[in-house]
Amino acid sequence: MDDVVAALCSTPLPVPEAAEAIPKAPGLYAWWGRFGALPGISGPKHPTAPVQLLYVGIAPNGPTSASTLRSRVVGDHIRGTTGQSTLRRSLAALLVEQQGWRSRWTTRPVLVNRDEVALSEWMARTLHLTWSEHPQPWTVEADVIAELEPPLNQAENRGHPMHAVVAAARKRWREEARAAR
């Protein structure tokens, strides 16, 4: 696991560069953001870059999934929607008021199309990525999250001091989207 943590703490790439470089392989990925980018959220400082850790994810999430780092990060997180990505849902919930984004209800809250684009643009301007290839990332995910303590992870992270803040923002966003339908 030490090699995974070391890779996730390597020099992060801005989202546009990472989208080109991330491999079609299984592994773990870490999202890093500028300090103060998310209201009320603070994460561990990167060892060398002026960013803080926000989220750690895996691809695939189990032995039957065909997902790769590239398909998950680029397809679901960078080019996807809040309906496809837990990370995007947390970001939207934390930023919706500040950014003036609008939401709608499907089976869950999602941003309206133009605000999905705005979230993608915000991510490209604000966030950075690192990753580590690993043949079975689900076998180390909980340990990596426990070691790195990313504030936006909800699963495997209930003891994190930011867990309640993120959960409350997501609940508020969910309730507002339901009320607006």
Side-chain angles (χ1 to χ4, degrees):
M1 185 185 80
D2 290 344
D3 56 332
V4 171
V5 169
L8 293 178
C9 292
S10 65
T11 303
L13 293 176
V15 168
E17 289 177 42
E20 298 298 320
I22 197 161
K24 292 178 183 174
L28 296 91
Y29 52 91
W31 288 88
W32 301 84
R34 293 191 311 261
F35 291 93
L38 293 172
I41 298 297
S42 61
K45 183 184 182 321
H46 187 275
T48 59
V51 292
Q52 62 183 335
L53 180 63
L54 297 174
Y55 183 82
V56 170
I58 63 169
N61 63 2
T64 60
S65 173
S67 181
T68 66
L69 287 166
R70 176 175 282 288
S71 67
R72 183 71 177 136
V73 170
V74 176
D76 294 339
H77 294 315
I78 296 174
R79 295 186 184 140
T81 67
T82 47
Q84 298 168 285
S85 165
T86 299
L87 170 66
R88 288 179 72 92
R89 281 192 294 279
S90 291
L91 293 172
L94 292 163
L95 292 167
V96 69
E97 289 176 28
Q98 179 189 69
Q99 298 293 324
W101 294 335
R102 292 183 321 134
S103 305
R104 61 187 176 87
W105 182 261
T106 58
T107 57
R108 61 178 58 146
V110 295
L111 293 174
V112 298
N113 290 345
R114 78 165 182 252
D115 292 334
E116 290 282 5
V117 172
L119 174 57
S120 296
E121 291 168 351
W122 181 92
M123 291 170 68
R125 286 190 315 271
T126 310
L127 302 182
H128 293 71
L129 275 160
T130 57
W131 59 86
S132 174
E133 292 184 34
H134 190 285
Q136 298 178 323
W138 60 89
T139 64
V140 297
E141 178 185 25
D143 290 336
V144 170
I145 288 171
E147 169 107 6
L148 293 178
E149 300 180 322
L152 297 188
N153 285 75
Q154 294 288 280
E156 310 290 345
N157 207 24
R158 293 206 184 282
H160 194 284
M162 294 280 108
H163 185 276
V165 173
V166 176
R170 288 178 61 137
K171 180 180 180 194
R172 193 169 46 253
W173 183 46
R174 193 170 42 253
E175 290 170 351
E176 289 171 5
R178 266 195 189 130
R181 43 177 189 170

